[in-house]
Amino acid sequence: MEKLLSFGHELSNDHKNLGYLKDSSDAINDFDELRNRYINDGYLYIKNYLNKDLLQECRGQITDQLAQLDLIDNNYPNIYGAAKKDAGYIFKPEIISRCPSVKKLLYSGQLTEFYKKFYNEDIRHYDYTWLRAIGPGKGTNPHCDLPYMGRGTHKHMTCWVPYGDISYTLGGLMVLENSHKRMDLLENYVYRDVDSYCENNATQAKNAKEGKWTFTGTLSQNPPQIRNKFEGRWLVGEYQIGDFITFGMFTVHASLDNQTQNIYRISSDSRYQKASEPIDPRWIGENPTGHGVDGKIGLVC
Ligand SMILES: O=C(O)CCC(=O)C(=O)O
Ligand SMILES: [Fe+2]
């Protein structure tokens, strides 16, 4: 295996430090088993589940939109996903409104069926979809999702979908083994809301009014160091088109760096929950507030 990098740090490939994500596609028709695995592992990695033709259509629409924004190297066909020089980490949720196939893939059919069966009742999804095209360089640093979306239920799940094959070199999502069981290490981090600020702190209040964050939600900038603290292994995988991985709000995750010369790693993350449970208002509606000014909450602290 080539050298794995995450947030600029090399991951040791010692078997105590690094492992593989467990494929649960063998249990796709046994939701009791999937629920047990989810409780134990904090994630479910389902290979070869989603419709590949639809995914290719999605990739076409996403890369066309990236090209419209002048983010694609036009020496290559758009679908190739060639990044322009120094493209960096591109986060473009707004293009989803012009990618009907992505909405179809994420919010109807196979995926919604999956969550309906998993939760065993009616489900709801966030109206906001996170879309990332990560150029060569650093991926995402270790974090849990709850600090970004904890104002409703805490039992919702993230679904991470790659739009193309993702090798170790291109850099996919990784999970910190058993991190969801380490409330001793998470409790002072995970319940902090990235959009809250101290009203009586002038700098924080000013930042909030400008839509800036006081707390970024990052758990660590150093994946090997946080692994040493939590003691589980970083679990990695090479993704093929058709795979997805889903995990809960307390599971620490990050991604591998993109070590290619010029190819984007393209993926989305979307969220699902029981329809009967409260939903975080920042992420619903026609034009969700998200982390913008209207989502900020001032606290006396
Ligand atoms: O795609 C990534 O690098 C990060 C994804 C992520 O943090 C998530 O799906 O919650
Ligand atoms: Fe995340």
Side-chain angles (χ1 to χ4, degrees):
M1 193 193 276
E2 59 268 53
K3 217 157 88 170
L4 298 184
L5 291 179
S6 182
F7 220 67
H9 297 267
E10 186 175 348
L11 300 183
S12 155
N13 65 6
D14 183 295
H15 68 276
K16 288 205 303 284
N17 295 272
L18 193 73
Y20 296 108
L21 289 164
K22 183 161 76 192
D23 176 11
S24 279
S25 55
D26 61 299
I28 194 63
N29 293 315
D30 182 352
F31 278 82
D32 286 334
E33 174 63 16
L34 287 180
R35 282 186 283 269
N36 283 335
R37 289 188 195 180
Y38 174 68
I39 291 167
N40 278 326
D41 301 336
Y43 74 91
L44 291 169
Y45 178 33
I46 312 285
K47 291 193 73 68
N48 196 22
Y49 176 79
L50 299 168
N51 182 314
K52 297 184 181 92
D53 294 333
L54 183 54
L55 275 156
Q56 281 298 353
E57 245 175 68
C58 294
R59 185 178 173 90
Q61 292 172 5
I62 295 168
T63 50
D64 283 351
Q65 288 302 319
L66 292 172
Q68 293 261 318
L69 296 173
D70 203 21
L71 294 168
I72 292 277
D73 178 346
N74 54 21
N75 291 309
Y76 301 86
N78 291 350
I79 193 99
Y80 193 73
K84 286 192 128 173
K85 195 168 172 291
D86 300 325
Y89 190 124
I90 293 176
F91 180 62
K92 287 281 171 209
E94 62 272 25
I95 69 176
I96 295 283
S97 62
R98 292 180 296 277
C99 299
S101 298
V102 175
K103 285 197 199 156
K104 183 171 167 196
L105 175 91
L106 298 176
Y107 304 130
S108 69
Q110 289 175 298
L111 260 187
T112 44
E113 265 318 292
F114 175 88
Y115 285 103
K116 220 169 155 172
K117 288 186 185 151
F118 183 84
Y119 284 118
N120 205 17
E121 54 175 277
D122 282 346
I123 59 141
R124 243 189 119 165
H125 60 81
Y126 283 7
D127 295 317
Y128 187 95
T129 308
W130 284 251
L131 184 81
R132 303 167 207 264
I134 303 187
K138 282 184 187 168
T140 307
N141 54 31
H143 66 279
C144 291
D145 283 349
L146 197 69
Y148 304 91
M149 48 191 79
R151 293 187 191 166
T153 181
H154 290 175
K155 294 192 182 133
H156 48 321
M157 289 165 88
T158 292
C159 180
W160 187 88
V161 175
Y163 296 88
D165 295 348
I166 300 190
S167 63
Y168 292 128
T169 313
L170 193 54
L173 192 107
M174 57 186 206
V175 163
L176 187 54
E177 186 177 41
N178 292 328
S179 51
H180 65 301
K181 295 180 177 158
R182 298 302 306 268
M183 287 313 292
D184 55 329
L185 297 173
L186 290 175
E187 65 187 351
N188 291 328
Y189 154 76
V190 80
Y191 295 113
R192 262 183 91 185
D193 180 327
V194 296
D195 293 315
S196 69
Y197 66 97
C198 293
E199 231 156 33
N200 41 327
N201 176 317
T203 317
Q204 286 194 17
K206 182 171 175 289
N207 282 341
K209 297 220 162 63
E210 292 169 5
K212 293 187 193 145
W213 296 358
T214 302
F215 163 55
T216 63
T218 296
L219 174 63
S220 162
Q221 310 258 31
N222 186 327
Q225 198 175 64
I226 200 76
R227 193 226 67 81
N228 290 341
K229 190 166 169 194
F230 277 68
E231 293 177 337
R233 299 170 296 171
W234 277 115
L235 302 178
V236 297
E238 288 200 292
Y239 296 81
Q240 272 77 43
I241 195 161
D243 301 350
F244 73 95
I245 181 167
T246 186
F247 49 88
M249 293 296 118
F250 299 86
T251 301
V252 176
H253 56 283
S255 56
L256 289 170
D257 294 348
N258 181 343
Q259 298 189 64
T260 67
Q261 291 302 312
N262 67 337
I263 312 295
Y264 282 118
R265 181 266 272 179
I266 301 172
S267 59
S268 69
D269 28 300
S270 46
R271 271 86 200 173
Y272 305 82
Q273 64 173 76
K274 289 184 179 178
S276 61
E277 292 192 338
I279 193 158
D280 186 326
R282 280 172 293 184
W283 306 112
I284 53 168
E286 188 110 322
N287 213 341
T289 322
H291 300 304
V293 181
D294 293 343
K296 306 294 176 197
I297 289 186
L299 308 171
V300 178
C301 45

